[in-house]
Amino acid sequence: MIQSLIAILDLGSTENAAIARAVRAQGVYSEIFAHDTAPEALKAVPGLCGIIINGGENRVVDGVSIDVDPGVYRLGVPVINVDHTSPDHAADLPAWPEDPSGVIDSFLDKCSAQRNWNMDNFIADQVELLKRQIGSRKVLLALSGGVDSSVVAALIIKAVGDQLTCVHVNHGLLRKGEPEQVVKVFREQMGANLVYVDAVDRFLDKLAGVSDPEQKRKIIGAEFIRVFEEEARKLDGIELLGQGTIYPDIIESGTKTAKMVKSHHNVGGLPEDLKFELVEPLKMLFKDEVRACGKALGLPDDMVYRQPFPGPGLGVRCLGAITRERLEIVRESDAILREEFRLAGLQGKVWQYFTVVPDFTSTGVRNHARSMEYPVIIRAVNTVDAMTATVEPVHWDLLMKITDRIVNEVPGCNRVLYDMSPKPFATIEWE
């Protein structure tokens, strides 16, 4: 089924994702395109019924004010000219109201958009697209055990069944007990074709002495691909690589009018000599939509509502150059945090919570003597789509209990801090 589609042309707005989600919330599929997308290319987009030109503070690129191709206005579909928080351009693009839903609702009526975009239709479309892309070939899926890769696995299995082989790589950057849990759930309970690879030493050796976050992500992304290539050679006919890439990964990895926030290992971290054709059925979904997709596919709640976990894992929570000592501090303190949040009834109520360990020590006292040990930083946030986030106001008594456990049970830690920074200005992860 061809869905109605609203194209959002990115003319420098920082609110493209919010507008895309607002359109989708009214049952119409929306997608963000670069401002200089050719009219002919837009005309060829299936289901195109309207265009939103979305301006903002990044409209000036390299000193020049950018604009869309005038041919966009002659495509025969309704076009709306709107600006976000950019007084300099108020004369040529009117501003969005504080609540854009009314404007969007009227525009969708003008476009005669069919408001039937939902997860059942999305799944039906993706299953058909996956069948066409994959054909009789075989797919190798990077299965972390997180929400995104789990939903991808379910979609591909629904489309092509046992043509999928899942590979779970233990790169030494997973949470406590996670590799064992992934094997149990996917191999023993779901009956998936699962290959387990112990690559702890291999990854940590590659990352030794590397402190730059972008470099760490690229090393992890490239090494993942190398591992998958090696596993593919052991199997017969593997040409495709499945990934749990979602829309925020693509947006945050940079566009023509938005500077990169961070390279996601499955976007900016991929090697140039990639030998696989990518299968990424979720790449146009936001995180809440991925969860809705998982529910519609029948995945269990404890999998669908599992906390998001970055592809580089604890590697971006062990700040600076990764050491095994600090990695273990992150792993153990994170396990305590998750246990105490569960006991306090916060599991499933707080969107994401984890610990971070920086690469410096501070003076402390242990066994009646001066000690130099690491601080542990607690991060707990709530969000809908991972594009913005607010800080969870954790009760003081719970914070004190967590602090007491961490400093007493985790060797090498003498301080616990609570991160009060929302997104923006901070990102959810520290690196």
Side-chain angles (χ1 to χ4, degrees):
M1 176 190 297
I2 296 179
Q3 305 283 324
S4 294
L5 181 144
I6 299 296
I8 299 172
L9 294 188
D10 176 13
L11 204 60
S13 174
T14 58
E15 301 296 325
N16 291 309
I19 298 303
R21 293 192 70 261
V23 173
R24 295 184 188 190
Q26 298 200 32
V28 180
Y29 181 63
S30 60
E31 197 169 313
I32 302 168
F33 293 81
H35 72 281
D36 56 357
T37 302
E40 296 77 15
L42 287 171
K43 189 174 182 179
V45 173
L48 180 70
C49 66
I51 296 172
I52 296 175
I53 299 174
N54 204 33
E57 58 258 23
N58 294 323
R59 191 172 174 187
V60 176
V61 179
D62 296 328
V64 178
S65 182
I66 58 174
D67 209 338
V68 300
D69 188 308
V72 167
Y73 297 94
R74 299 190 292 271
L75 288 175
V77 298
V79 177
I80 182 173
N81 300 344
V82 188
D83 195 87
H84 263 292
T85 62
S86 184
D88 293 341
H89 302 297
D92 60 323
L93 290 180
W96 284 104
E98 186 172 335
D99 179 3
S101 58
V103 173
I104 290 172
D105 182 60
S106 298
F107 182 63
L108 295 179
D109 284 342
K110 185 179 180 181
C111 296
S112 300
Q114 297 182 44
R115 304 189 187 213
N116 58 358
W117 188 77
N118 54 50
M119 277 306 132
D120 288 337
N121 288 337
F122 171 82
I123 290 169
D125 288 345
Q126 287 302 317
V127 166
E128 183 59 33
L129 289 170
L130 285 168
K131 287 179 178 178
R132 290 182 197 170
Q133 180 186 6
I134 297 168
S136 61
R137 296 182 291 174
K138 295 180 181 179
V139 188
L140 196 65
L141 173 66
L143 180 62
S144 69
V147 179
D148 304 332
S149 62
S150 299
V151 174
V152 169
L155 268 175
I156 297 177
I157 289 171
K158 187 175 180 68
V160 297
D162 60 7
Q163 289 169 238
L164 172 69
T165 297
C166 299
V167 177
H168 177 61
V169 178
N170 182 0
H171 52 13
L173 306 172
L174 296 171
R175 289 171 288 202
K176 188 174 182 178
E178 200 155 38
E180 297 82 0
Q181 183 187 33
V182 169
V183 171
K184 181 177 181 180
V185 170
F186 285 91
R187 181 183 288 166
E188 299 175 15
Q189 297 178 11
M190 294 183 66
N193 296 329
L194 178 65
V195 175
Y196 172 78
V197 181
D198 184 343
V200 174
D201 291 339
R202 173 175 177 168
F203 273 81
L204 296 186
D205 288 348
K206 285 272 186 180
L207 290 164
V210 179
S211 60
D212 178 71
E214 283 300 301
Q215 189 65 18
K216 286 200 289 186
R217 288 175 179 271
K218 291 179 187 298
I219 288 172
I220 293 168
E223 200 62 19
F224 260 124
I225 299 300
R226 299 287 89 92
V227 172
F228 295 139
E229 287 174 340
E230 292 169 13
E231 293 305 315
R233 285 194 288 270
K234 299 175 186 176
L235 302 168
D236 222 12
I238 298 289
E239 300 177 23
L240 305 169
L241 175 65
Q243 290 200 134
T245 306
I246 64 174
Y247 214 9
D249 297 343
I250 296 171
I251 294 170
E252 288 195 336
S253 293
T255 66
K256 293 180 180 179
T257 54
K259 291 183 172 62
M260 179 187 69
V261 177
K262 63 181 72 168
S263 291
H264 288 262
H265 81 284
N266 51 347
V267 184
L270 292 175
E272 294 181 3
D273 61 342
L274 182 68
K275 293 181 174 61
F276 294 112
E277 178 184 330
L278 295 179
V279 178
E280 300 175 304
L282 304 180
K283 68 179 180 181
M284 302 311 294
L285 293 189
F286 294 99
K287 178 65 78 170
D288 57 316
E289 295 170 333
V290 174
R291 296 188 193 282
C293 183
K295 285 288 291 180
L297 285 164
L299 292 177
D301 282 357
D302 60 354
M303 184 178 295
V304 170
Y305 296 108
R306 190 178 185 189
Q307 277 199 61
F309 191 57
L314 301 183
V316 292
R317 296 177 182 173
C318 184
L319 307 183
I322 297 170
T323 65
R324 294 181 187 244
E325 178 192 15
R326 284 193 300 115
L327 198 54
E328 202 56 29
I329 295 174
V330 177
R331 201 181 333 266
E332 292 297 327
S333 61
D334 176 78
I336 290 172
L337 176 66
R338 288 188 288 127
E339 181 183 359
E340 290 299 334
F341 266 44
R342 177 180 58 81
L343 293 173
L346 294 178
Q347 182 174 291
K349 295 181 179 179
V350 181
W351 191 80
Q352 189 173 14
Y353 41 95
F354 55 89
T355 60
V356 172
V357 177
D359 59 348
F360 60 83
T361 60
S362 66
T363 305
V365 177
R366 190 173 295 278
N367 298 324
H368 306 291
R370 182 177 183 269
S371 66
M372 297 297 293
E373 297 178 318
Y374 294 100
V376 166
I377 302 164
I378 296 173
R379 182 88 161 127
V381 297
N382 289 306
T383 183
V384 173
D385 57 13
M387 300 306 295
T388 61
T390 58
V391 177
E392 172 68 16
V394 180
H395 196 278
W396 187 256
D397 289 345
L398 177 57
L399 286 176
M400 292 301 293
K401 182 180 180 184
I402 294 169
T403 298
D404 184 66
R405 284 198 60 190
I406 289 176
V407 296
N408 280 286
E409 297 177 28
V410 181
C413 167
N414 64 359
R415 295 178 189 272
V416 177
L417 301 88
Y418 192 66
D419 184 349
M420 295 292 294
S421 315
K423 177 182 181 178
F425 294 92
T427 55
I428 293 176
E429 298 287 345
W430 271 58
E431 289 189 342

